[in-house]
Structures are given as structure tokens and as C-alpha cells.
Amino acid sequence: MSQSQLSTPHVLGIKYLTPEDLHLIFETAREFKEVINRPIKKVPSLRDVTVANLFFENSTRTRISFELAEKRLSADVVNFSAASSSVKKGETLLDTVNNILSMKVDMIVMRHPAQGAPLFLSKRIPANIINAGDGTHEHPTQALLDAFSMQEALNDNLRGRNIAIFGDILHSRVAMSNIFCLRKLGANVRLCGPPTLIPKHIGKLGVEVSFDVRETLEWCDVANVLRIQLERQDIRYFPTLREYHRSFGINKQLLDSLDSEVVIMHPGPINRGVEITSDVADSQQSIILEQVENGVAIRMAVLYLLSTRRV
Ligand code: CP
């Protein structure tokens, strides 16, 4: 019998989810995708639930996607941005969250620059927590929407399919969550980028490493292209952005010269002309905006499933 509940009351990282959890989230997201494509996009599933979106770091896609997902599920929603909060006056993370919870908040969605911040909170507060990105650690709902979008694009469950992740793997929480998610789904994963931006012992996670963009593009069914995270780079990992683009950027000429058509993905925000050119990002092969669309259904699924698994 298939499972009807997640194995955990929090979504802190893909690392902590089972393959059965992943399949349950995808199955639920498929139902919610159908809901949000109806003329009336709303269901009452979270009518008695209050969710606080706590963003201690900038976000466009994830913050709006969570807020829309919550509203489509009829939850009460409060938004917190660190820049305009009493965090600026020295209040601790735990004090901030405990004060918000005392106003009868049930669930926390949190993005934080510190790795492990959601895990730290999960051991100390009586609310479900969803990690919306913690430092360079994990971004689980991004990996879920990425895998869901790959399944749709390939019309397949990803077992045995070849998925390549290009770019700044070293600083990427999206890469880490994608690796855990894709390996749990049985996909073959290859990382490709400059040696300086690929962690030395990453092969222990069951992935291959290549420094050859063309050969990796020839190998893969899907290319998930990641942003160069200059804001997290305290030293130089390559000489210039121009040189990075020449050696590791993906352009239309390169794609058109391949034997088969590769599905192009990017979690955003895009640095156009650095890791990917506009004619690739905006091409027929790109499913970048489908990823964003699927993010709402995935986040509705996660919120709904956690609401039935209260702390
Ligand atoms: N993909 C992603 O996390 O984008 P945002 O930083 O805009 O949320």
C-alpha cells in the first residue's frame, strides 16, 4: 500500500526524506497542479492553518511561490523580512521565531544564510518547518520542483536517466538537494564545472564529475545549469566571467551541434551571458518557466502534507 503521510514533520532537506516521501510529494503535487489550472484556483485544505514566511535572505521565486501556495490552500499568511525586522536590533533567531509563534502561528517557512538554521529551530520549537534555502546546505523544495519538472519533460520517472548539473557546485544548495533527490529517484548524476567549483570528495555521494561541457551535454538527457554565486565567493575561483563563459557557458551554437536534444533547466536567478546565453534560456528546449510554475504545486503539496503531520 502506498504511504499517505510524510515520514517527518519537517522538510529540512532532501537528505532527510525517503524515496517514498518524494513519490508522495510528486503524486500530491500532480493533484494540486490540476487545481491551480482551474478557473477557481483555491481549495480550503489549510483553512485553519497560519504560516509565517521568514526570509533572512533575498528571494523572488521561492518567497512568492510559497506565499501563493499558502493562499491557494486558504492558509492565513504572514511575511517577515529580516531587513525590516528587530533582527537589526540584535534579536536572536530563536527569540524572533518564539515571538512569532506566540501569535498562534502553526508552520514556518524559512530562508536563512546559515547552514543548519532550520534544523536548529526544529529541535527547539513546536511548529512544522520548511527549509526554503539554508546557506550552501540545501534547498529541498527547489530540488523537488526540479525533479517534478524533469519527470514531466521526459515523461518518465527518472530511474536510469542521465542528469547533468553544470556550474558552481561548491556554493550551491540547489546542487546538493538535486544530488540527493535525483540519486534517491535512481537517476545517474554528473557534475560539470571548473575543478575549483566542484567539491573534492563529492563522488562519495554517488555522482560522476566531468570538466568537459560538450562531452557532458552529449551524455545527458537534462542539463540543470546553475548560477555562479559571486556573493558567496570570498576568493577567485576563475579568472574572469568572460573566461568562465568561454570554458563552461552553454550557448545555442554548442547545443545545436549536439547529436540529441537536451532539456535545459535553471533554478534562477539567471546570469544571462555567463552560465547560459539568452538564446538558450529562452529557447524551445528550455523549461525554466515551467520549473517556476511547478514550484507552486510542489510547495502546496509539501505544505498540505505537513499540515496533516503536525508537531
Ligand atoms: N531559485 C531560487 O531559489 O530563486 P530565489 O532566490 O529568487 O528564491
Side-chain angles (χ1 to χ4, degrees):
M1 206 171 75
S2 65
Q3 87 185 43
S4 59
Q5 276 210 320
L6 293 178
S7 62
T8 158
H10 309 289
V11 172
L12 303 174
I14 302 289
K15 197 168 46 226
Y16 308 106
L17 299 178
T18 63
E20 291 72 28
D21 288 331
L22 302 181
H23 292 300
L24 178 61
I25 293 168
F26 296 142
E27 205 176 298
T28 312
R30 273 191 282 277
E31 288 170 27
F32 282 127
K33 185 162 179 179
E34 202 260 307
V35 168
I36 57 181
N37 280 293
R38 288 183 201 155
I40 296 170
K41 304 172 178 59
K42 224 167 160 159
V43 285
S45 316
L46 260 66
R47 206 175 39 200
D48 301 322
V49 177
T50 304
V51 187
N53 298 314
L54 312 185
F55 279 73
F56 293 84
E57 231 188 37
N58 295 343
S59 169
T60 299
R61 280 147 290 269
T62 312
R63 188 172 57 79
I64 293 175
S65 181
F66 266 113
E67 189 174 344
L68 274 176
E70 292 148 7
K71 288 180 171 168
R72 303 269 192 254
L73 291 166
S74 308
D76 290 320
V77 180
V78 283
N79 290 310
F80 163 99
S81 158
S84 56
S85 74
S86 291
V87 168
K88 290 281 172 207
K89 301 174 195 167
E91 191 168 43
T92 67
L93 173 63
L94 193 53
D95 279 342
T96 301
V97 174
N98 271 328
N99 276 271
I100 291 169
L101 289 182
S102 70
M103 293 182 247
K104 310 297 175 206
V105 165
D106 305 295
M107 298 173 82
I108 299 284
V109 172
M110 187 172 79
R111 171 169 288 191
H112 200 279
Q115 283 92 297
L119 177 68
F120 166 87
L121 276 187
S122 72
K123 295 180 190 300
R124 290 167 177 82
I125 62 163
N128 306 94
I129 300 177
I130 304 173
N131 179 5
D134 60 331
T136 58
H137 177 227
E138 280 225 40
H139 190 350
T141 56
Q142 180 68 47
L144 290 165
L145 75 89
D146 285 348
F148 185 82
S149 304
M150 289 175 204
Q151 290 175 358
E152 277 191 346
L154 299 177
N155 196 18
D156 190 42
N157 65 12
L158 305 186
R159 181 160 294 279
R161 299 307 286 256
N162 294 341
I163 315 294
I165 307 173
F166 290 87
D168 182 357
I169 311 297
L170 185 66
H171 299 99
S172 177
R173 55 193 175 209
V174 175
M176 293 313 293
S177 289
N178 260 263
I179 291 168
F180 291 129
C181 188
L182 294 167
R183 292 298 298 135
K184 285 182 189 210
L185 296 174
N188 305 314
V189 180
R190 186 181 291 189
L191 311 177
C192 182
T196 49
L197 288 176
I198 298 196
K200 281 195 178 60
H201 304 293
I202 197 85
K204 288 184 180 160
L205 297 181
V207 297
E208 296 173 23
V209 172
S210 168
F211 309 122
D212 187 331
V213 174
R214 166 176 286 283
E215 197 269 326
T216 301
L217 283 170
E218 291 282 11
W219 171 84
C220 67
D221 300 301
V222 178
N224 199 359
V225 188
L226 305 183
R227 181 172 69 89
I228 294 297
Q229 303 206 21
L230 290 174
E231 76 278 18
R232 297 193 199 277
Q233 298 183 6
D234 45 359
I235 58 166
R236 278 192 170 197
Y237 292 87
F238 47 85
T240 61
L241 288 177
R242 214 168 108 169
E243 238 160 308
Y244 179 85
H245 178 69
R246 275 176 47 187
S247 305
F248 294 97
I250 296 183
N251 60 50
K252 195 78 172 68
Q253 202 183 359
L254 179 56
L255 278 193
D256 288 347
S257 69
L258 303 175
D259 290 336
S260 56
E261 197 165 282
V262 175
V263 176
I264 298 293
M265 301 177 63
H266 193 304
I270 298 173
N271 289 320
R272 287 175 183 261
V274 180
E275 67 269 4
I276 194 168
T277 52
S278 285
D279 53 7
V280 173
D282 304 331
S283 70
Q284 294 290 328
Q285 282 169 255
S286 161
I287 59 163
I288 293 172
L289 292 180
E290 282 88 335
Q291 289 174 257
V292 180
E293 181 188 342
N294 285 333
V296 178
I298 282 289
R299 290 173 176 124
M300 286 174 80
V302 169
L303 287 156
Y304 170 72
L305 290 166
L306 288 186
S307 75
T308 67
R309 191 122 178 21
R310 300 295 274 275
V311 177

